[in-house]
Amino acid sequence: MTDEGQPISVDEDVYIRSPSGFFAHLRETQPVAAVQMPGYGRMWVVTRYADVRAGLADPRLAKDRHHWPTGPRTWPSQAVNLHAHMLHRDPPDHTRLRGLMQKAFTPRRIAQLRPRTLEITEALLEDMASAGGGGDIVDLLTRFARPLPITVLSELLGVPAADRTWIEVAVVDYDDRKDRERITRDLAVYFTDLIAAKRAEPCDDLVSALVRVRDESDPGDDASGALTDTELLSGVFQLVMAGFDTTVNLIASGTLALLTHPEQMTRLREEPSLLPAAIEELLRYTNPLNHATDRFTVTDVTIGGVAIAAGEWVLLATSSANGDPDRFPDPERLDFGREPGGHVSFGHGIHYCLGAPLARMEAQVAFGALLKRFPKLSLAGTPEDLRWRPSSLMHGLEALPVRLT
Ligand code: HEM
């Protein structure tokens, strides 16, 4: 709170221009603060590493939308229930849903995707080379960082190639908070039809596997082992929403980080075994998400010495935690020699990112192949010329112009 007891207000443009700057300022001045957040309303914003990490795993900070505090809230459609998925649930429903999703989303399925991911990556890099022939500037975001995850995710799910472009546009617009009502309805109709098609003609893809999980689960079994039709639809929707734009941001912002830290890029080229550690550092440094998804207090809690009453919204600023000097010395330095891990870019606790192995695999393939294919890759223009997307949650570039040779 401010001295007058009012929540801190942040101008939307100021926040979107530099969420990390805003959160860093809070971390230094008021690490647990009531803030009027653009697009969300009043929330308690938590910015220190120790508090954020503890908050992510704290069962007193709940998510289930059936128990949301009352009061004004900006939220997409209530009409179609696409929000019955695990990220908006608490135990025991969360435990049940995560277990069922994991039956289909297996490490084996992800490992099997690696060779195909490399093929897709190399084809995209070839196309980019043709587009940039003669030293022209190309947009690495639209030619590489975006098509790679949407293609891999679509193949994993079993989304036909012809439908990928409109889904890509829909997800980006949704994240940028454009016409969410219509987009939610369109995606609900599309995935309902896709599920029906996979049920009629199962294939070796994730949606078919999830339909099998749904149809083999026993609805009579007091819901402990069952997956409902709504949860199946919502679960597929969430995989698309959670798995696409996040990975785009990691690849695009990660490339920017490499281009603006040539000594680290050279180090990675000379020592490719550093790649897994480099991806962890890029996750920490680039923050594909500004913050975790929102939570609310189900009882009175004290965070970082600040008392918060039951029924309040809480925002855990993961990007600020990743930049906390108490946890990461000299946090502004990109350093592939840093002890890997510890970042909270994939969250922590029971909601820890289900897709982390997929995202890591895609990033390893993408950066490995990109550095090999374009030894002279450089930024066209300056970092100050780049524009960031007008999203509160997503931390992503609008475009990334590069020179290939
Ligand atoms: C760089 C890429 C990614 C990042 C940075 C990321 C980040 C996150 C974070 C921070 C959470 C936890 C949110 C919270 O606690 O509020 C989360 C959860 C989740 N993510 Fe990811 N994610 C990425 C890629 C993916 C991919 C590729 C998929 C799947 C296709 C995926 C699926 C999920 C799911 C299903 C959850 C919910 C887990 C649960 O509630 O138990 N994510 N992700």
Side-chain angles (χ1 to χ4, degrees):
M1 296 274 191
T2 59
D3 290 346
E4 297 78 38
Q6 291 298 313
I8 297 166
S9 218
V10 53
D11 182 79
E12 178 149 12
D13 289 343
V14 171
Y15 174 71
I16 296 290
R17 210 173 308 129
S18 177
S20 57
F22 173 66
F23 288 140
H25 176 69
L26 283 184
R27 193 180 62 228
E28 281 150 27
T29 54
Q30 228 180 314
V32 179
V35 178
Q36 195 67 30
M37 282 295 290
Y40 288 88
R42 183 183 183 278
M43 305 188 84
W44 287 92
V45 176
V46 180
T47 43
R48 275 191 192 145
Y49 179 86
D51 296 334
V52 169
R53 194 162 191 276
L56 286 165
D58 189 335
R60 299 170 305 168
L61 301 184
K63 297 185 105 313
D64 196 318
R65 68 197 302 263
H66 298 105
H67 305 129
W68 275 3
T70 48
R73 191 86 186 127
T74 313
W75 196 255
S77 179
Q78 307 287 326
V80 279
N81 196 353
L82 285 181
H83 302 283
H85 54 72
M86 67 182 111
L87 192 52
H88 290 165
R89 307 292 279 275
D90 299 319
D93 286 324
H94 173 268
T95 322
R96 169 176 60 86
L97 289 176
R98 186 153 173 136
L100 289 168
M101 292 294 273
Q102 236 152 8
K103 276 191 187 174
F105 204 88
T106 57
R108 197 170 136 260
R109 194 179 283 280
I110 305 308
Q112 280 171 345
L113 268 181
R114 188 181 270 265
R116 178 67 190 131
T117 304
L118 183 58
E119 260 174 43
I120 297 166
T121 301
E122 287 177 340
L124 287 169
L125 294 176
E126 263 334 291
D127 287 353
M128 194 160 79
S130 320
D136 290 344
I137 295 169
V138 295
D139 177 12
L140 187 131
L141 185 108
T142 49
R143 295 219 165 248
F144 182 57
R146 208 171 256 173
L148 176 59
I150 193 72
T151 310
V152 173
L153 191 58
S154 299
E155 290 198 4
L156 172 70
L157 292 171
V159 171
D163 300 334
R164 290 173 196 166
T165 306
W166 86 261
I167 294 179
E168 178 183 328
V169 172
V171 175
V172 172
D173 284 353
Y174 181 97
D175 284 339
D176 289 347
R177 289 185 272 147
K178 288 184 199 149
D179 205 358
R180 284 190 158 185
E181 284 284 339
R182 179 191 56 75
I183 294 170
T184 313
R185 268 196 312 274
D186 289 353
L187 288 170
V189 169
Y190 178 79
F191 286 115
T192 303
D193 291 350
L194 186 72
I195 287 168
K198 300 293 176 186
R199 181 169 276 134
E201 241 177 278
C203 311
D204 183 25
D205 55 43
L206 189 63
V207 174
S208 301
L210 287 169
V211 169
R212 224 171 8 255
V213 169
R214 155 76 191 105
D215 293 348
E216 284 168 6
S217 62
D218 176 7
D221 181 21
D222 74 355
S224 58
L227 181 67
T228 66
D229 282 327
T230 305
E231 288 165 347
L232 169 60
L233 171 64
S234 168
V236 172
F237 168 79
Q238 195 228 344
L239 287 178
V240 175
M241 299 313 280
F244 160 51
D245 246 1
T246 45
T247 315
V248 175
N249 293 346
L250 174 59
I251 297 172
S253 311
T255 304
L256 173 64
L258 289 173
L259 297 177
T260 49
H261 296 81
E263 75 299 339
Q264 294 299 310
M265 186 158 66
T266 305
R267 189 174 177 187
L268 192 53
R269 279 206 170 97
E270 287 170 356
E271 226 182 307
S273 62
L274 267 183
L275 197 52
I279 304 292
E280 296 312 304
E281 175 67 348
L282 288 173
L283 277 158
R284 180 194 75 81
Y285 186 85
T286 64
N287 291 301
L289 297 178
N290 289 316
H291 52 74
T293 55
D294 39 7
R295 287 159 166 77
F296 56 89
T297 51
V298 284
T299 177
D300 295 354
V301 295
T302 300
I303 302 179
V306 175
I308 302 178
E312 295 272 344
W313 289 100
V314 176
L315 192 83
L316 301 169
T318 47
S319 60
S320 167
N322 285 337
D324 187 340
D326 285 347
R327 173 61 182 79
F328 301 101
D330 201 359
E332 299 302 319
R333 190 164 47 90
L334 181 76
D335 179 3
F336 295 156
R338 210 182 271 277
E339 186 60 41
H343 66 74
V344 283
S345 289
F346 285 130
H348 176 60
I350 62 167
H351 293 285
Y352 182 83
C353 179
L354 185 79
L358 174 60
R360 286 187 167 115
M361 183 277 283
E362 285 182 67
Q364 286 181 17
V365 170
F367 287 115
L370 179 71
L371 292 184
K372 218 182 202 176
R373 180 67 183 78
F374 299 112
K376 300 227 163 95
L377 191 70
S378 64
L379 190 61
T382 67
E384 292 72 38
D385 298 334
L386 297 170
R387 297 223 332 249
W388 295 83
R389 289 176 46 195
S391 164
S392 173
L393 176 65
M394 291 285 154
H395 182 228
L397 287 160
E398 298 259 14
L400 182 59
V402 294
R403 274 182 214 286
L404 301 176
T405 52

